[in-house]
Amino acid sequence: MFLILLPSDCKQAENAKPIAGDNRQELVITAGVENGMCSLRRGYGPEKKAQTAASLWDAYSGLLSNQAMILAMNSSFVDPLLQYKTQLKIVELSFKMAFAIPSLDKVKGIGKNEDDQEDLENLYRTILNTFEDTLLILVSKDLYKLQILKEMAVWMSEDNLYMQERAMVIISRVLSFASRKVKGCTSVDVPCLGVLAAELSLLCSHADPSITQQASLGMYHLLCIAKCQNADIAKNKSTKYDKPGSHCFLPSPSDTEFLPKILQRDKSKIAQSVGKTLLPCLLTDFVWSLLMKLSAPDQTTASEAATILKLTLEYYAHKVTMVSKIVDVIYKQLCGNASPILKQVMLRAITLLTRTSPKKVIFQLMDYPVPADNTLMLMWQAAGSESSVAPLVLKTILLILKGKPGTMEERITERRHFSLATTNMMPVVASQALCTLLPIGSYKKAVAQFFPQLLMALMLQLYYTSNLRLMTEDRTFYAQDALRVLLNCSGLQQVDIALKRKNCWNQFSQALFHHHGVYLVAKTLSDYNFPQFPDTLHYLYKLAVEGPRRSEDKVITIIFLTELLNNFFKDPFPEEFLVLFRNWVNDSDPAVSKLSLQKIASMAPVISEIENVCSLLIAILDAFLSQDKTVVIRALMTLRRLLGKLDKVTYSSLCTRIACSYCPLMDHSNGGIRSMAIRHFGELLRDMSQYTWMLNDVVFRGLVPLMLFLEDTEARVVKACKYTLEICASELKWPISYLLKDEHCSFELVVLNICNNLLISHQKYIIDLISDTLGFLRSSRTYLRRGSVILIGYLAKLGGHLLLRDEIQVMFEAIDQVLRDEDPVIREFAEITNKIFMEIAHRLTSSNIKQSFQRLFNLIYIKKLKPLYNYNLPKDLTGSPMGIKETKNDKPLQTIIMKTYCSPCWELGQQPFYLPLGPSSASLTSGPGGFSNVDKGHQLLLQDNCIINIISVGGNKRLIQSHACGFYLVPALHFTHTLLSQLPALQTLSSSTRCEDDNFAETS
């Protein structure tokens, strides 16, 4: 007879529940079991019984040893992860020991009588209780170790020889213990509930009723734990994830005793209960575990998992996270050897996930190689099978189509989801996907809703792919295919036929003609009055206002928008669209600027009808500052075209600003821009001849480049300078037009004549002109340095009395650099100019009184200059228009002015009058009636010493056109009627009359 000594009966030991931190119960249980085993071993009988008893003893001793190690590790300060892994290995060994022993019936068969059988049964139960107690100890200290129960379910399913029913009993009891432990806790962290629930859900449909019963009981306890886990979070998120009208399946407390029966073999109830109770992260683990079961060798398990998976997603797909990862696993499994039924389940899972997470599903489907294989096409069809999600799917695809294919430098091995920058082929896959989705009947309404967005997105993709040459064998671009499908699905079949007839699609395949292809599409749509025009125009306007992502997008948008506006609106466009074109004028992309300027130029005939025309013109002026020369040229041409049609009132209000904008361009590096700016400057002066007084300052600002670029190496620039200088001379009444003729043109003579006229009529501008000329001394172009040396020499010679010592010093520093110029001619001219500067510096005095007197004297005593540099002068100066020659017996007029500002001469309009004197003066007497022969209304009143300025004598003929013109001082005491009789003769005097007078005086 076997004797087993236990501190209490088996039932007590079985129900003993250790408490965390209390080791007394552990020791009591272990001691009792040890005493029983010792009694059993001492009572062994026959050999067969001894073998069975030995197996029981080995299992028991192994369990005790493993339990001791687990307890020791549980009380140590080992890393939690390492501790769990080590304990899991020990528990796995204990599991195999405890559940590999013979069944209870075989154990009972060893006993000779009832007492033996009872003792053996107690020993049998003690072994199992020892294993159970080990699990209870682990779970009592850390609920995270409920993960071991999931592993037990896996171990149990791997070998049918294990006592599965008894293992399920232990799992259920441990879960029951854990559910009681967490009651009343506000926050419990049990991350393994999802995977454990997946294992139990499959066992709830087990063929063995006893296993099914224990599994459903365990599932019930698990759901109780899940309800307590993160109670606050679950409360908050239930509002977020629960759909309207959904109700918690878990019954009231009074009905909980029936719940395990409800969960048995009812997959729909299991799916609803689990989906309702588990938090999103745990439900995701649940779905993921079932998904992994689909590839299980056991078809029954795979089928059960597929059913529960589909039901769960039907009800609670909106709670599932990690959707992209799940979609990727489904793709890999579909590519395998899955049965047709399982394939249908997985495709249905794609549909259900798309219903709740379309963005995540679509982005993941884009993250596969192009072109899409058959499996991917099936997944696309599954994703687009429901009309309710069609708008969301198309929105996601449109978001992807905003990306530019081929922008990533190198492909990364690890997939990164939802990133346009790292998935450079996603837009291409999206275009191919549209070819599949757009013809689906359920997408017809969504296609009509998003027609403008799809149209423009595919137009952009056509441009991108044409640059990449993305063609596969005989297939054309996917974006092109998708665009044609879009037209046909939108009732625009005739447009597609017309575009094919115009060879439009072949032009899209060539990057050089892509813009013309865009024009053809817009033009053809307009020709057929496509019904989507209002929505398309509204979208284009919105796109233009918000600003496209890239400059290429702007170009295509402008082309498309312009063509639609041309066909449906008359010029000028509504103000809302004109604002867009005005803003595009100064876009960073030259192509955008030129397209906008081109359209604005076409509105020239109706420019006066535009409300804010001034802002439009100012925007064009700002384009003059562009770094792209083609933009500047286009802006110059556009502005000139608009000014030709602009009303004079608006023109006059902007003429000064426009003229100032031309001046910097006169020194542009591009010859074409220089010539256009110079010529347009002259045309502006001609247009504004009635407002010359407004433009005087600007004219003199542009005078320096106009003179210097007469030496330009490009004939078109020289021709433009002559043209504009002739206009300037005409407006300023300077007699230099004959010098600009090709047969008489000499740079130095033009400069000399202009400087002489400046000194006579506009001395106040000389200092500014000197300052402008100094800047050209540092030019990299030889002809500019040479011309500036000559010009500044003459300006300094004539206006030296206006210079200050500091200004002379600056001029010395500037000319010093030119004295070392590599060009010998420039060095020679610089020497002459430097001597002029030295003469001026020598005449300067430190006395302010003397300086003031010198300036006053030079203001009224002016000496006419002759050529100083002899640069390319005509060989025969006598026959030249300048009429420069030396004459014998010259008697220059010597007039000493003692009082010059005693009284003004007269004032007649804006122009002065001239009256020249001969080399000898008669005795004249002054009087108010002395000018009876002058033009009617020109009455001159002289007093003391005054300047007589007359522009016309004996009629309308202008004396300024005669060689006898000039400023002459007539002392009142020499003025007689005899002089009046000589007036007609002055017009016929030789050109040398005025030139012989080396000295003459001027007053203001």
Side-chain angles (χ1 to χ4, degrees), residues 511-572:
L512 293 176
F513 300 99
H514 183 270
H515 290 168
H516 187 253
V518 176
Y519 161 79
L520 285 178
V521 172
K523 176 67 175 172
T524 308
L525 284 171
S526 301
D527 291 342
Y528 282 87
N529 293 319
F530 69 115
Q532 298 88 349
F533 167 72
D535 293 335
T536 304
L537 184 62
H538 181 269
Y539 174 72
L540 285 171
Y541 177 77
K542 179 183 177 183
L543 188 65
V545 170
E546 293 176 352
R549 290 163 58 101
R550 302 177 183 86
S551 59
E552 303 98 318
D553 301 9
K554 288 184 182 179
V555 173
I556 295 175
T557 301
I558 291 178
I559 295 174
F560 213 93
L561 178 61
T562 303
E563 190 54 37
L564 291 184
L565 292 174
N566 286 338
N567 282 274
F568 290 94
F569 293 94
K570 294 182 178 179
D571 288 337

Side-chain angles (χ1 to χ4, degrees), residues 702-721:
L703 200 55
V704 170
L706 287 176
M707 288 187 286
L708 295 182
F709 282 104
L710 283 171
E711 289 287 281
D712 200 296
T713 55
E714 296 192 33
R716 55 182 174 176
V717 178
V718 176
K719 187 175 181 180
C721 287

Side-chain angles (χ1 to χ4, degrees), residues 794-1001:
Y794 279 112
L795 290 172
K797 185 73 173 178
L798 291 173
H801 60 284
L802 303 173
L803 295 170
L804 301 176
R805 187 175 300 276
D806 292 339
E807 293 170 340
I808 286 292
Q809 184 61 37
V810 172
M811 296 166 64
F812 270 122
E813 293 176 359
I815 203 67
D816 184 63
Q817 299 178 3
V818 188
L819 288 172
R820 299 186 296 273
D821 196 277
E822 60 184 10
D823 188 286
V825 176
I826 295 178
R827 290 199 302 269
E828 179 184 350
F829 291 165
E831 291 287 351
I832 299 173
T833 302
N834 189 58
K835 291 179 181 179
I836 296 173
F837 292 173
M838 294 176 68
E839 292 174 1
I840 297 172
H842 181 71
R843 291 198 303 266
L844 288 177
T845 175
S846 59
S847 173
N848 293 332
I849 298 177
K850 291 183 178 180
Q851 284 188 6
S852 300
F853 182 78
Q854 286 182 358
R855 289 191 179 187
L856 179 61
F857 183 79
N858 281 279
L859 185 65
I860 63 177
Y861 184 84
I862 303 172
K863 183 176 179 60
K864 178 172 62 81
L865 290 181
K866 296 180 180 179
L868 301 174
Y869 297 89
N870 296 319
Y871 172 64
N872 291 339
L873 293 178
K875 294 181 179 179
D876 185 8
L877 291 177
T878 303
S880 72
M882 286 293 293
I884 300 176
K885 71 175 184 177
E886 300 294 333
T887 60
K888 298 179 181 180
N889 302 321
D890 287 346
K891 297 180 180 180
L893 177 64
Q894 304 290 339
T895 305
I896 302 176
I897 306 302
M898 299 302 297
K899 184 177 181 182
T900 58
Y901 297 101
C902 59
S903 64
C905 295
W906 60 84
E907 185 172 352
L908 182 60
Q910 297 292 332
Q911 301 297 338
F913 282 72
Y914 292 82
L915 181 63
L917 292 179
S920 61
S921 299
S923 176
L924 303 177
T925 60
S926 60
F931 280 106
S932 58
N933 292 333
V934 183
D935 287 347
K936 295 179 180 180
H938 294 184
Q939 299 298 321
L940 312 180
L941 188 56
L942 302 180
Q943 179 176 338
D944 297 326
N945 298 308
C946 300
I947 292 293
I948 298 177
N949 303 317
I950 299 178
I951 59 170
S952 61
V953 178
N956 294 327
K957 185 176 181 181
R958 291 177 178 269
L959 186 60
I960 195 170
Q961 298 175 354
S962 171
H963 300 303
C965 63
F967 280 86
Y968 295 92
L969 176 70
V970 180
L973 116 97
H974 291 162
F975 192 89
T976 65
H977 292 287
T978 307
L979 182 62
L980 297 176
S981 63
Q982 300 177 3
L983 287 176
L986 289 177
Q987 301 179 38
T988 59
L989 291 177
S990 65
S991 59
S992 63
T993 300
R994 177 187 181 232
C995 297
E996 291 175 350
D997 301 330
D998 292 330
N999 301 303
F1000 58 93

Side-chain angles (χ1 to χ4, degrees), residues 4-35:
I4 301 178
L5 300 177
L6 294 173
S8 60
D9 60 11
C10 181
K11 200 70 176 177
Q12 258 184 325
E14 213 170 278
N15 293 329
K17 306 303 176 191
I19 302 175
D22 186 3
N23 295 329
R24 290 177 293 175
Q25 286 187 334
E26 300 173 9
L27 297 176
V28 170
I29 295 173
T30 304
V33 175
E34 287 180 352
N35 291 335

Side-chain angles (χ1 to χ4, degrees), residues 105-121:
D105 293 336
K106 292 182 179 180
V107 171
K108 287 183 178 181
I110 299 175
K112 295 180 179 180
N113 49 44
E114 292 182 3
D115 292 338
D116 289 348
Q117 291 177 357
E118 183 180 356
D119 291 341
L120 288 170
E121 183 178 353

Side-chain angles (χ1 to χ4, degrees), residues 276-313:
K276 176 64 181 179
T277 308
L278 294 184
L279 295 178
C281 58
L282 302 180
L283 184 61
T284 302
D285 294 339
F286 177 80
V287 171
W288 181 264
S289 298
L290 293 177
L291 191 60
M292 294 297 101
K293 294 291 184 181
L294 298 182
S295 57
D298 185 2
Q299 291 300 316
T300 302
T301 302
S303 178
E304 294 289 341
T307 303
I308 299 175
L309 174 64
K310 183 175 69 173
L311 291 171
T312 304
L313 293 177

Side-chain angles (χ1 to χ4, degrees), residues 653-664:
S653 66
L654 292 174
C655 63
T656 301
R657 181 165 184 175
I658 296 173
C660 291
S661 299
Y662 283 133
C663 291

